[in-house]
Amino acid sequence: MNNKQEAGMWIVDGGVCLNGSSSMLCASWPMATVAFLAPACLLLGVTLGLLVLDSRRTATPSRVAARANRHATLASLTGVAALLVVVLASALAGLVGPLVGDGRTLALMPAFAGTGLLIAEAVGQVTWPRPTGAIREAVLQRRRVLDVVPPFYRRLIRSWAAFHLLSLAAFAVLADGPRTLDSPLFGSLGGYPGIYYGVPMAVGTLALVGSCELVLRLITWRPAVVGVNPEWDHHLRQRSARHVLRGVQFVLAMSVAGTLGAAGAVYLRAASQVAGVGLLVASVAALVVGAALTFLPARRRAPAVSAAAPIESLAAS
């Protein structure tokens, strides 16, 4: 294989090769598979394990409360697993490079990951366990999204989305074609985040933020857990909302990092070192900040576990 080929992953007989700017590393298929799957499975296992531990920290004063806690945990586990699988697939697709076809699919992978999380959480809310028995209790309490959703993460999501849309608009203006940038030394360079990539990414960002708001409303409006203190039910809602917000802000940070990184790589190829290095540093910073705000543990007060007196009893129909 020619070492002058562009950087990326290349399939060879019996294995795969990673081609850099000045060197090439090749590995057999079993070794390459283990090298990717081992850390991927470790990340998936640790993340899901932390979610399970987080759910077990929530005391359950009754069977109904335990059932609600399991239901909320299952929705979060399913959603986070879907998110991480798509994120890991996008990382693999980024390494494969020329083999994944149209780059717009790779550019939209973070939005697809967030969609998987939101679908799982939405299904969890609309299938919430209903009261059973001859006498059913209904807790009548008016709730707003602002009462349930942590304001910091909601503002963070809007900030990531606004920054991404502004950066896409700026790169679309600076581009010399739908996906190219002209260089005086090297001619037209492809892979630049112009309108070819920017339009579907902007639509994906707006759809993701809108869907996130819808799921947060489903969490707010779902039936209350009967027979428990309202503070305990509020804690369960906040936990679900926190999982949604952390996951969505992470995939938005990934989108920002990907856009900045793609532009930075093109500027480096165009011999614009300052712009290229600056954008790559900003890309890494966005990814680090997004990951830190996703995985760092949150401090919160344990909910009250005393049983609540029924506010209103409804005869079963």
Side-chain angles (χ1 to χ4, degrees):
M1 180 171 294
N2 192 341
N3 285 344
K4 292 182 180 180
Q5 288 175 314
E6 293 184 0
M9 180 181 286
W10 305 91
I11 305 299
V12 297
D13 292 337
V16 62
C17 289
L18 286 174
N19 187 29
S21 58
S22 60
S23 62
M24 180 183 296
L25 176 65
C26 295
S28 64
W29 276 116
M31 183 179 297
T33 301
V34 171
F36 179 79
L37 288 182
C41 292
L42 179 62
L43 175 63
L44 185 62
V46 169
T47 304
L48 297 183
L50 289 175
L51 287 177
V52 173
L53 289 176
D54 185 45
S55 70
R56 291 184 176 180
R57 290 168 54 192
T58 302
T60 52
S62 66
R63 291 184 178 180
V64 174
R67 182 186 178 194
N69 187 41
R70 286 194 302 270
H71 189 89
T73 302
L74 179 60
S76 294
L77 287 173
T78 305
V80 171
L83 184 150
L84 287 177
V85 167
V86 178
V87 167
L88 293 171
S90 65
L92 179 60
L95 290 174
V96 171
L99 301 179
V100 298
D102 194 341
R104 286 185 295 187
T105 301
L106 179 59
L108 290 173
M109 291 290 269
F112 294 153
T115 301
L117 169 66
L118 293 176
I119 289 175
E121 288 287 358
V123 171
Q125 301 308 313
V126 299
T127 60
W128 194 259
R130 304 288 175 174
T132 59
I135 302 297
R136 303 175 187 176
E137 299 175 5
V139 180
L140 304 179
Q141 181 179 357
R142 184 178 180 85
R143 300 181 186 86
R144 301 177 304 163
V145 175
L146 293 175
D147 299 328
V148 175
V149 176
F152 170 76
Y153 279 95
R154 201 179 188 192
R155 290 193 295 266
L156 180 64
I157 284 177
R158 293 173 178 176
S159 299
W160 280 128
F163 182 83
H164 193 214
L165 293 174
L166 289 174
S167 64
L168 289 173
F171 291 136
V173 172
L174 294 172
D176 296 297
R179 48 179 170 176
T180 59
L181 181 72
D182 291 342
S183 168
L185 297 177
F186 303 100
S188 182
L189 299 174
Y192 192 76
I195 60 173
Y196 181 80
Y197 301 105
V199 170
M201 291 183 75
V203 172
T205 296
L206 292 173
L208 188 64
V209 174
S211 300
C212 178
E213 288 294 322
L214 176 60
V215 173
L216 292 176
R217 279 163 172 73
L218 290 177
I219 293 173
T220 304
W221 297 338
R222 68 149 172 83
V225 180
V226 299
V228 298
N229 191 292
E231 183 183 351
W232 189 94
D233 179 75
H234 182 73
H235 164 81
L236 199 62
R237 294 178 197 271
Q238 283 194 320
R239 197 182 77 189
S240 297
R242 187 170 59 250
H243 293 162
V244 168
L245 292 170
R246 287 192 172 210
V248 171
Q249 77 84 27
F250 177 61
V251 297
L252 287 173
M254 282 185 60
S255 295
V256 170
T259 299
L260 298 178
V266 175
Y267 279 112
L268 283 181
R269 290 161 54 200
S272 299
Q273 299 297 322
V274 175
V277 172
L279 287 170
L280 290 177
V281 170
S283 172
V284 173
L287 194 59
V288 170
V289 170
L293 292 174
T294 300
F295 294 104
L296 288 179
R299 293 182 179 181
R300 61 183 185 277
R301 186 166 57 92
V305 297
S306 58
I311 296 179
E312 182 177 348
S313 296
L314 303 177
S317 57

